[in-house]
Amino acid sequence: MTRDTGPQTGRRVVADLDAMRALAHPQRSAILKLLMSGPPRTATECAHVVGASPSACSYHMRELERFGFVERDNSPADAPRDGRERRWRASAIGFTLGARPLSDATPEERAVYAAVLGADRVENERLAREFVESVTELPDEWQDVAEFSTYELALTPAELGELAAKIDDLLRPHRVGVKRRPAKSARTVHIAFDAFPRTDAR
């Protein structure tokens, strides 16, 4: 179903189509991102964030667990909790969809990938909207460094691949679960990086 890509990345490649389909639900995508952004949480805690009922979140958690995306937190501090209030955590720092290049994917694989990408975009848009709606509640220094930018670049396929790899190398050391001893003033920051050729321009 999934295979670890190694300690250098902490990411897992998801090759199983049923596992990929599990992420095509916007609330499951939101739950998984939330669990990757910080400490373990209960279904009830996740429900307050992603806008679902606790029972719906419990169902989504079990589905994510079934496909290896999340796991139960078995730390001693969590032992007294009952099943409904069991804390969950992401089973990896990140996940990569597909075990082969998109150009080699079957039509079914491409359709599933598109569905997962759609759910991912729904969550990215929700996070951006919530930031804008609550930005005045943040300290000034956080308000001033938030960035929303787009770029239209002239690149070859090789240049795009090299640029994406450099950005990944730049961001990876700061990922939640990777960065050692972050400063007390550090917060979880959401970054979405999209890079693809426009089909309406040449």
Side-chain angles (χ1 to χ4, degrees), residues 7-183:
Q8 291 183 342
T9 66
R11 300 180 69 88
R12 290 182 184 171
V13 172
V14 182
D16 182 75
L17 282 182
D18 287 336
M20 291 172 65
R21 288 189 184 96
L23 293 182
H25 193 291
Q27 287 181 342
R28 285 182 203 148
S29 178
I31 290 169
L32 182 58
K33 281 186 173 62
L34 179 61
L35 292 178
M36 289 193 294
S37 74
R41 299 173 186 256
T42 66
T44 299
E45 290 170 335
C46 289
H48 291 315
V49 177
V50 305
S53 68
S55 60
C57 271
S58 292
Y59 169 74
H60 291 319
M61 291 287 198
R62 292 193 297 273
E63 286 295 291
L64 290 170
E65 180 188 33
R66 184 159 72 98
F67 292 107
F69 293 110
V70 305
E71 58 192 20
R72 298 173 188 268
D73 180 35
N74 294 320
S75 61
D78 193 52
R81 296 177 178 272
D82 63 28
R84 292 172 299 175
E85 291 304 307
R86 173 74 65 181
R87 292 191 182 277
W88 299 82
R89 63 188 179 195
S91 60
I93 294 172
F95 300 89
T96 298
L97 300 182
R100 51 186 171 178
L102 187 60
S103 59
D104 292 336
T106 66
E108 183 181 14
E109 288 172 334
R110 295 185 188 188
V112 173
Y113 181 81
V116 176
L117 182 62
D120 187 69
R121 289 198 172 280
V122 168
E123 177 59 6
N124 285 336
E125 291 170 4
R126 183 186 73 84
L127 291 171
R129 183 175 61 253
E130 289 195 352
F131 167 79
V132 172
E133 292 173 351
S134 61
V135 64
T136 56
E137 300 173 10
L138 293 172
D140 291 349
E141 59 266 29
W142 282 107
Q143 295 186 42
D144 295 341
V145 296
E147 184 73 23
F148 293 90
S149 299
T150 59
Y151 306 87
E152 302 301 322
L153 309 178
L155 300 171
T156 66
E159 289 171 334
L160 176 54
E162 182 181 359
L163 179 61
K166 287 181 177 179
I167 293 174
D168 184 61
D169 288 342
L170 182 65
L171 298 179
R172 189 184 302 154
H174 301 281
R175 285 158 58 192
V176 173
V178 170
K179 190 170 186 178
R180 295 181 178 274
R181 299 180 180 177

